[in-house]
Amino acid sequence: MSIEVRPVEDAEQWNGYLDHAPTPTPFHYAEVLDVLASAADATLHRLAGFKGQEPIGLFPVFEVERGPVTGVFSPPPELKVPYLGPTLVVRGDAPKRRRLDRQHHEFVERTLDHLSASIDPGFVQVRTPPGYDDVRPFSWRAYEADPRYTYVVDLTKSEEGLLASFSSDARRNVTDEYDTDFEIVAGDAADIERIVAQTAERHAEQDEPFPVDPAFVVDLYEAAPDGVVRPLVCRVDGEFASGTVCLETTDAAIRWVGSAKPSCDIPANDLIDWTYCRRAADRGVEAFDLAGANNPRIAEYKAKFAPDLVPYYRLKSASRTMDVAVSLYNKLR
């Protein structure tokens, strides 16, 4: 029986399939996808592959039109979403390697065929989730496959073991006592606005773009299932000093927006990260993705938390004419 790819309109049904995905991200939730589509001014296609009535895989994509360019993206561009792309669905015992490969490869092939028939995009770009390590079906369709990297902290270690694995300066920063009245607390929508504004200011100081609007992140916070979007802030003498917006699935988390230079003299961001690691581990989260190891300066900071280096892939398909059009659009936008 061949695999059929079709859209899944029902959000509850989509999220139910997601419960059985081995490499989901918090951005895969149906409610989050809807907010991404609105923020990107894109048409969302929640595509799933079925063998009979049995779900095989999920692949959310966004149809985006910008001037002469009509493309398909997963995740959508310009929102600082690190990855999305396809994920398999495995209910019950995982099939043997040969059967799993066959199902996976056919699922990707049928999805790409569906996109060609229904949208006929001139440009396709996908960033896979960490752990999605088989991009051969894309390569066999002449997609460019560039490896990228992120850092992931193993939260299954004991608190003592995790702390011992940190660099000496990271351990010192999170265990020292400070002659300052500070607290690390869960944030709210107002704190999210402060976090995004502080991050934007830091990017502006470094002459770097930061296209994330605070209202977009607040929309995610309000629309996502409970516990998915988790802002954490450091307050010094009762005033906001720094913060981070993290996102969670049942067993994995991403450190997403924030951790800009704090407005205080204590290592607020290290304290936030350590507090988040402990609290997330208590909730059963097993992996904390620090979201990025591709920038040398930022990677050096994140490496002090003893993370594993995990690859993901940026996949692209475009005609030469479309490559030129996309390049021109990026320069003019």
Side-chain angles (χ1 to χ4, degrees):
M1 182 181 295
S2 63
I3 292 174
E4 177 190 3
V5 171
R6 59 180 184 265
V8 176
E9 304 295 344
D10 185 87
E12 184 175 352
Q13 184 181 42
W14 174 273
N15 288 344
Y17 297 152
L18 196 63
D19 288 340
H20 301 278
T23 59
T25 74
F27 300 104
H28 278 86
Y29 285 107
E31 299 88 342
V32 173
L33 293 172
D34 289 339
V35 175
L36 295 181
S38 177
D41 190 21
T43 301
L44 169 64
H45 302 268
R46 286 198 297 256
L47 301 178
F50 295 89
K51 194 167 187 178
Q53 296 302 312
E54 185 69 18
I56 298 299
L58 305 175
F59 198 160
V61 301
F62 298 82
E63 180 183 352
V64 179
E65 294 185 8
R66 296 291 188 270
V69 180
T70 298
V72 164
F73 297 83
S74 186
E78 302 178 12
L79 294 179
K80 289 286 186 178
V81 176
Y83 9 73
L84 192 61
T87 184
L88 299 180
V89 175
V90 180
R91 301 206 285 195
D93 295 333
K96 293 182 178 180
R97 180 83 258 174
R98 183 180 182 187
R99 181 184 172 197
L100 182 66
D101 282 355
R102 184 183 297 132
Q103 288 182 349
H104 168 223
H105 297 172
E106 185 181 354
F107 165 58
V108 173
E109 284 282 334
R110 294 288 181 267
T111 302
L112 298 181
D113 289 343
H114 177 91
L115 293 174
S116 295
S118 60
I119 301 174
D120 190 23
F123 181 85
V124 180
Q125 181 170 282
V126 176
R127 289 195 299 273
T128 66
Y132 182 92
D133 56 4
D134 186 0
V135 297
R136 290 175 295 169
F138 293 92
S139 297
W140 294 335
R141 294 281 287 256
Y143 275 63
E144 296 178 19
D146 298 323
R148 308 286 287 169
Y149 300 91
T150 189
Y151 278 137
V152 179
V153 179
D154 180 4
L155 298 185
T156 64
K157 298 177 183 178
S158 67
E159 183 175 320
E160 295 77 12
L162 182 59
L163 184 61
S165 70
F166 287 3
S167 67
S168 58
D169 62 316
R171 287 198 305 273
R172 184 172 58 252
N173 285 346
V174 302
T175 58
D176 276 359
E177 294 187 4
Y178 298 97
D179 189 21
T180 301
D181 182 17
F182 77 92
E183 59 179 351
I184 310 297
V185 297
D188 56 18
D191 289 312
I192 287 175
E193 293 182 348
R194 296 184 186 100
I195 291 168
V196 177
Q198 186 183 59
T199 307
E201 289 171 6
R202 182 58 176 165
H203 278 70
E205 291 171 1
Q206 299 172 326
D207 293 323
E208 295 179 356
F210 188 74
V212 178
D213 188 282
F216 157 59
V217 185
V218 172
D219 285 346
L220 280 183
Y221 174 68
E222 294 177 344
D226 289 344
V228 170
V229 181
R230 292 182 177 269
L232 199 64
V233 301
C234 175
R235 301 194 197 284
V236 176
D237 295 327
E239 299 294 327
F240 173 88
S242 187
T244 300
V245 179
C246 298
L247 297 93
E248 288 185 15
T249 62
T250 54
D251 58 5
I254 296 175
R255 180 182 185 263
W256 183 36
V257 174
S259 297
K261 185 177 180 179
S263 59
C264 61
D265 295 328
I266 63 173
N269 292 327
D270 284 12
L271 292 164
I272 289 171
D273 286 337
W274 175 235
T275 300
Y276 184 81
C277 284
R278 290 182 293 148
R279 293 179 184 175
D282 288 343
R283 292 191 291 270
V285 175
E286 299 178 352
F288 183 32
D289 183 350
L290 299 181
N294 300 301
N295 180 297
R297 177 179 58 82
I298 297 175
E300 183 177 1
Y301 168 79
K302 294 181 178 181
K304 67 184 182 180
F305 298 107
D308 296 320
L309 186 67
V310 179
Y312 62 99
Y313 290 87
R314 180 173 58 195
L315 308 166
K316 188 178 79 168
S317 175
S319 66
R320 182 174 179 82
T321 300
M322 192 56 65
D323 257 340
V324 172
V326 170
S327 177
L328 177 62
Y329 166 70
N330 286 335
K331 290 179 180 178
L332 294 178
R333 66 182 169 84

